[in-house]
Amino acid sequence: MIGSEKNTHPISIEKLSALRRFNNLRTSHDGNYVFWLESIDGQGVIFQQDRSGQVVKTSAECDVRGTVGYGGGEFDIGNTKLVFVDRSGALYQFDIGKKQSLQQIKLFESCIASPAISPDEQWVLLANQKDEIDRLVLTSIKDTKRSFPLVEGADFYMNPVWHPAGNIIAWVEWNHPHMPWDASRVKLGTISDDFQKLYEESIIDGCVEAAASQPRFSPDGRWLSYIKCENNWDSLVLYDLKSNAKIVLIPPQGFHLAMPDWIQGQRSYVWSHDSRAIYYFRYARGKTTLWQIDISSGHNHNISLESVRWAAQIDEANGKILFFGSTAREPKQIWQITSNRLFLLQENRLNGVNANSYSEPQEINFHSHEGIPIYGIYFAPAGHLPDNDQMPPLVLDIHGGPTMQEALVFSSDAAFFTSRGFAYAQINYRGSSGYGYNHQRALKHQWGVVDVEDTFAFARELIRHKFADPRQMIIKGSSAGGFTALNALIQAPGFFKAAVCSYPVSNLIADAQHTHKFERFYHRFLSGDLENDYQRFVERSPIFHIDRIQDALLLFHGAEDSVVPVSQSRQIYQQLCQRGIPCYLHIYAGEGHGFRKPETIQEYYHQIEFFLSQYIIK
C-alpha cells in the first residue's frame, strides 16, 4: 500500500464483495410487510420483513429477474398477493404473510417484466418481448388459458399500472429510433367488460424531446400523474380523468424528478395512501432530497434525509415511507420514515472496517478554457492530509451508459482504491444525466469527442490542485466508460500510465449493426447515421486504432455478453500482444454485460490489485 499519514489498512476484497446488492423495494398496502429484491450469489431473491422485524425468504429457489431489456420491474403487490417474474420467463404468485403459498401462474418462454396485479387480484398485466416483438400481455391468475396480448404496435412498453376501478390502465411506450428518455409517451386505455380486449386508448402526453414516464393513478382514482421532460428539467403533471384537464403540479425548476429509464420499474415518487399528497425525490448535482407536496395547495415540504445523499425506489403505506438510500460512507440500504423519524430498516455496511480506511466524496466542478462546465467527484486517498505536498496516484473512473451519472455517495471501487493509497475520481462528462437535459444532449453526435475532452480536462484540473500525480494516473471504465477510456489511450499515449476496461464498447459499426433491440438505434443520437457518417464511426471506434495504444491495458469480459461481443476484447488483446504492449484479458463464464457472481467480483478485484502493483510506483 502506498504510504499515508494515518494508520489505514486496505479493505479486504472479501468484505467488498460481500456487500449486499439491493435491486427493488415495495411495501404491502397495509404497511405490515416490507419486500425487497436482493442478489445473492448472482440469483435474485425476494425477502419479506414483518412488523416484528422477522425476515423470511419468500421466492424459494426462483431467480427473480425481469428480462425485458436491461431488466428491472421484478414484482408487484396487491392487497393480499405478490406477483413476480423469474429469469426463466415464468410468472409466480404468493399470498402475503402466508408460508408455502408460492405458485407458478404461467410459463411464457419469453422475456417478461413489470408485472402489475389488478385491484381485484384476478389479472396480471406485464411487459413481454418475444422474437423481438414487444407488447403488454394480460394473464388471468386463476385460468392461465386466458392469456393474450392486450396492447401492441409500439416498439417498447414499460411500467403498466391499474386504475383502482380495475378497468382502466396506463403505461409507457416509445418507438425506434429513440431511447425512452428522449421520446416515451404515457398512454391510457380502457379494458372491455369481458377482459378480452382494449377497446379504447389515447395518448395523454409525451413526444420527441418531451418524454413522459412513471404513470401513477391516485388511490382515490381521480388523477393520473406522470413525470415529463420540460426543456432542461422535469415537471410532475396531474391529469384529471373526468375533465381531461392537466395541471402542472411541479414545474421545471433546476432539478430532475427521475433518472433515465435504463430499466423497468423505477419509482422516484409515490402517492400518499389518502391521495392528499405526493412524496417525491429531487435529483440535482449528484444528490437527492425528499419532498412532500400537498395536492390541494401545492405547498412543498422538505423531509430531512439526514446523512442520506442518494435515494431511489420510494414506496408508501399508511404514512410509512420506504426507499433505498446511500450515504457518503455507506452503500445502498433500506430506510424508513415514520412520524418524521428516519431509521435504518436493513443495513449494508463494511463491518469491522476502520472509518479511516476509506474516504468520502467531494465535488470538483469547474469550467474548461472554453467555458464548458465540467462536473467531477474526488475521493482522496485514505489518511491523506490536506497539507501533504506528495501527489497521490489516481484512478479516474468513467461511468457507463453513456447516459448515466455518478453521485456523491459511497463507492465500492472508491473504498477499494482509497484504502490502498490511491486517489479515486469520477466524471460526469457532457452527456451524463442529472445536470439538465442540455448537458445530457451535448453528447449528440459527439460521443468519443466531448466525453474524452472532458476526461482530459478533469484530469488536468486534479493535477493542477495536486490531487493527482501526473506520472501515476490510471483510467478505468466499463461498457461505454471503457469506450471513453480506450479513446483516451488512443488520443494521448502516455497521458495515463495504464487502463482497466470491462466489456468496453470498441466497434461502433458492429454496435450499430448487431446490438440488442433496446439500443439498436442509440447510435443515431451518439454518433449519427451509419450510412451517411460511416467515416465518423471508423474514426471514433477504438478497434480500428489499436495500433496507437502504447499503454498497459487490463481487460475483463463476460463470456455471455449480449451487448458487447467478447470477440471485440479478444481482438484488442491479440493486437496489443502482437505489438508487445502489456495486455491482459480475463473472460468469465456465466457472466454477461456486468458481473453478478461473488467469485467473479473477487477475482476482478484481485486482478486489478495485481495489475496496479506492476504499473504503479510504490
Side-chain angles (χ1 to χ4, degrees), residues 158-331:
M158 181 176 280
N159 303 342
V161 290
W162 292 84
H163 185 274
N167 66 333
I168 300 174
I169 60 172
W171 66 91
V172 175
E173 65 178 42
W174 71 98
N175 291 321
H176 281 143
H178 303 291
M179 300 299 284
W181 49 85
D182 293 322
S184 60
R185 52 192 177 268
V186 168
K187 295 189 73 173
L188 191 69
T190 303
I191 303 176
S192 60
D193 292 338
D194 59 2
F195 276 75
Q196 293 297 314
K197 63 180 180 180
L198 196 73
Y199 73 84
E200 186 178 84
E201 65 177 278
S202 57
I203 297 175
I204 300 303
D205 215 336
C207 60
V208 177
E209 294 194 353
S213 64
Q214 291 197 40
R216 304 274 185 270
F217 290 106
S218 59
D220 63 8
R222 178 182 176 183
W223 304 100
L224 172 67
S225 57
Y226 56 90
I227 295 169
K228 184 181 180 182
C229 163
E230 298 272 9
N231 297 317
N232 198 33
W233 301 101
D234 293 324
S235 63
L236 183 64
V237 183
L238 299 183
Y239 175 77
D240 191 313
L241 294 166
K242 288 186 177 180
S243 68
N244 300 327
K246 295 177 183 176
I247 299 173
V248 179
L249 186 65
I250 303 173
Q253 47 187 316
F255 52 80
H256 288 287
L257 297 174
M259 292 293 98
D261 281 317
W262 278 102
I263 60 172
Q264 299 263 345
Q266 296 198 76
R267 303 173 63 87
S268 58
Y269 79 96
V270 65
W271 281 89
S272 65
H273 63 283
D274 57 10
S275 299
R276 294 180 179 179
I278 287 177
Y279 300 98
Y280 69 98
F281 292 133
R282 293 182 180 181
Y283 297 101
R285 298 179 68 91
K287 295 181 180 179
T288 310
T289 52
L290 174 61
W291 296 76
Q292 176 186 354
I293 185 167
D294 183 86
I295 300 301
S296 297
S297 67
H299 174 71
N300 273 289
H301 169 66
N302 180 223
I303 301 173
S304 174
L305 293 180
E306 299 177 10
S307 62
V308 174
R309 288 188 175 184
W310 189 260
Q313 295 304 92
I314 190 170
D315 206 2
E316 188 270 354
N318 292 329
K320 179 174 67 176
I321 304 169
L322 293 124
F323 59 90
F324 289 137
S326 306
T327 73
R329 302 199 65 83
E330 297 165 327

